[in-house]
Amino acid sequence: MPAAEETTQPHDESAPQPRELRFAYVAGVTPGKWIRRWEERMPDVPLGSFMTDDAAQLAVLRDGSADLSFVRLPVDREGLSVIPLYEEQPVVVAPKGHEISLFEEVALEDLSAETFLDVADLGGAEPALQVVASGAGLVFLPMSVARHFNVKDTVARRLTGAPVTQIALAWPSESTDEVIEEFIGIVRGRTAASSRQPSAQQEKPKRAPKPDRRGPAVKQPKVAQRYAPNPDKGRGKGSRKKGKR
């Protein structure tokens, strides 16, 4: 008897594939808390993320590599929706042993005699810090970036009197949908029950009323009055007429 042929179900390429949300972020941004909240609220929508440098923070939106991007302002906002999130603390980074290591913070005006390097010209923060470690000069960076790369033989101190940088969330305006709105709400700290969250606006099934376990009300029997009412009760003293004897 010939063996039964195995049958396979044809793959339906026209079936809708599950939506995946992708976002990029520049060095210094720590998206872990937002990823955890997303996985709790939207387990059916996969979330992907990757780090990019400042030079490509908008390119990933233009070429479709990411749906959203955590960017460092300023940026060209044409065609984008941009929500500023928070400011970053600036620091000055010098080679180890530099005199700034004697202080907790340094004023910008006190560094006028120093040689400063252009981070962008050196190819970004990490290669710039390698140059700083060699003793060629100092750089300004956000504190979060200096801590992220943490290059050996460098020292960073808080910098006062310098312009601050700001982190923002950006995405193409024409691509806004409920999934993106959900992610924006999570980043902005909205709770799962917020009326502004798309997931909270979905109609929830009504719960069946709880059964009344008390049973039918039992009418208590009237208790027979043991004594006749006192006709003098409520009258003033001496109000009862005395009869003749």
Side-chain angles (χ1 to χ4, degrees):
M1 181 176 180
E5 296 182 358
E6 294 184 358
T7 59
T8 58
Q9 295 293 332
H11 178 67
D12 186 3
E13 296 182 355
S14 63
Q17 300 298 316
R19 167 71 184 275
E20 179 184 5
L21 188 67
R22 298 160 297 171
F23 72 88
Y25 58 95
V26 291
V29 175
T30 51
K33 61 181 179 180
W34 300 318
I35 294 175
R36 289 191 297 271
R37 290 174 187 170
W38 180 269
E39 292 173 345
E40 292 171 359
R41 297 188 198 178
M42 304 290 287
D44 296 331
V45 181
L47 183 65
S49 63
F50 59 93
M51 192 173 73
T52 184
D53 56 36
D54 289 18
Q57 60 184 355
L58 294 185
V60 294
L61 298 177
R62 309 294 187 193
D63 63 16
S65 301
D67 300 296
L68 308 99
S69 181
F70 289 93
V71 299
R72 185 166 283 112
L73 298 179
V75 296
D76 179 8
R77 302 192 179 201
E78 183 178 359
L80 298 177
S81 295
V82 180
I83 299 176
L85 298 176
Y86 59 88
E87 292 182 344
E88 298 177 292
Q89 169 66 48
V91 296
V92 56
V93 186
K96 191 173 181 180
H98 192 279
E99 62 180 359
I100 70 166
S101 61
L102 301 175
F103 307 93
E104 292 184 359
E105 63 179 31
V106 182
L108 178 61
E109 60 185 11
D110 294 336
L111 301 174
S112 57
E114 297 290 345
T115 300
F116 285 93
L117 309 172
D118 190 298
V119 174
D121 289 346
L122 294 173
E126 188 172 18
L129 289 172
Q130 297 290 349
V131 177
V132 169
S134 70
L138 284 64
V139 295
F140 299 137
L141 284 174
M143 179 183 289
S144 58
V145 176
R147 286 178 173 176
H148 175 80
F149 291 111
N150 192 26
V151 173
K152 187 179 179 182
D153 295 329
T154 62
V155 59
R157 289 294 182 265
R158 292 176 179 268
L159 184 64
T160 62
V164 297
T165 52
Q166 193 171 24
I167 294 296
L169 181 62
W171 70 97
S173 300
E174 61 182 11
S175 301
T176 306
D177 59 14
E178 288 189 353
V179 175
I180 288 179
E181 287 287 357
E182 189 75 28
F183 186 80
I184 295 169
I186 288 175
V187 171
R188 302 194 76 173
R190 296 176 192 155
T191 64
S194 172
S195 59
R196 301 187 65 181
Q197 288 295 95
S199 59
Q201 297 173 6
Q202 299 175 2
E203 185 177 355
K204 296 181 180 180
K206 296 182 179 179
R207 294 182 178 181
K210 294 182 179 180
D212 188 354
R213 298 179 179 178
R214 296 174 298 176
V218 179
K219 191 174 181 180
Q220 298 294 333
K222 292 183 178 181
V223 179
Q225 195 169 6
R226 298 179 60 187
Y227 303 100
N230 186 353
D232 293 334
K233 188 176 182 181
R235 295 183 181 181
K237 186 176 181 182
S239 62
R240 185 176 180 184
K241 293 182 180 180
K242 296 182 179 180
K244 295 182 181 181
R245 292 184 179 178

